[in-house]
Amino acid sequence: MVKSTRHAKYELYYHIVFIPKSGGTEGPADLAEQGSAQYRRSHLTGKTKERLETIFAEICEDKNLELAESEVMPDHVHLFIGSPPKNAPSLIVNWVKGISARKYNQRYDDRVKWTRSYYVGTAGSASKGAVEQYIAEQAGDDE
């Protein structure tokens, strides 16, 4: 759904994926290994999953973001977030990861930490191919 601010109409959605920090890895050599399945901790289940889903919803509400979809998997998190264009994707990721860890760790005895890495992809109403075709057609109209 197209939304608007005073000066812009937009439909920006970001697919964000990140993983929890594994227990014993701290050194830089271990950073690459944290992404592989054998080094991921599978502890985002049960009450932890429910608590995180609630916290992600709170963060999005506080920051005026649309949490279109969320899925907390045992070893990673998928979020689909709508945002106004003023918010850079990296800022949204920093909000979600930083605030969620802080809120979770303040509220509950078990701890949640996220790795520094993440994936973010954009999505909207038009595919890349549709936009490319539209631009190409506009160039043809000028002739």
Side-chain angles (χ1 to χ4, degrees):
M1 177 164 91
V2 176
K3 296 183 180 173
S4 61
T5 63
R6 287 176 49 173
H7 303 288
K9 298 244 183 238
Y10 64 92
E11 189 171 18
L12 291 173
Y13 290 90
Y14 301 103
H15 176 206
I16 299 167
V17 183
F18 52 94
I19 61 175
K21 258 190 184 174
S22 42
T25 58
E26 292 295 328
D30 295 323
L31 289 176
E33 294 175 345
Q34 289 178 353
S36 69
Q38 74 186 68
Y39 290 95
R40 291 189 199 170
R41 291 176 63 187
S42 298
H43 73 287
L44 304 179
T45 58
K47 287 187 179 184
T48 302
K49 174 182 176 169
E50 294 169 15
R51 292 168 177 169
L52 284 170
E53 288 171 344
T54 300
I55 290 171
F56 293 140
E58 290 172 8
I59 294 166
C60 288
E61 186 175 332
D62 291 346
K63 298 294 185 182
N64 294 319
L65 303 171
E66 176 192 351
L67 183 58
E69 195 69 42
S70 70
E71 188 61 46
V72 177
M73 305 299 288
D75 62 352
H76 65 284
V77 174
H78 287 272
L79 301 174
F80 193 51
I81 296 177
S83 172
K86 69 179 182 175
N87 299 325
S90 59
L91 177 63
I92 296 167
V93 171
N94 286 337
W95 282 342
V96 170
K97 288 171 63 175
I99 296 170
S100 67
R102 188 167 45 257
K103 283 187 174 198
Y104 191 95
N105 295 338
Q106 287 172 348
R107 294 178 187 177
Y108 308 108
D109 291 333
D110 53 329
R111 296 284 181 242
V112 168
K113 287 178 156 184
W114 307 114
T115 64
R116 291 186 294 169
S117 59
Y118 62 90
Y119 163 82
V120 64
T122 58
S125 62
S127 68
K128 179 179 177 251
V131 172
E132 290 171 342
Q133 181 179 348
Y134 174 79
I135 292 171
E137 289 171 0
Q138 297 307 305
D141 290 346
D142 290 342
E143 296 174 359

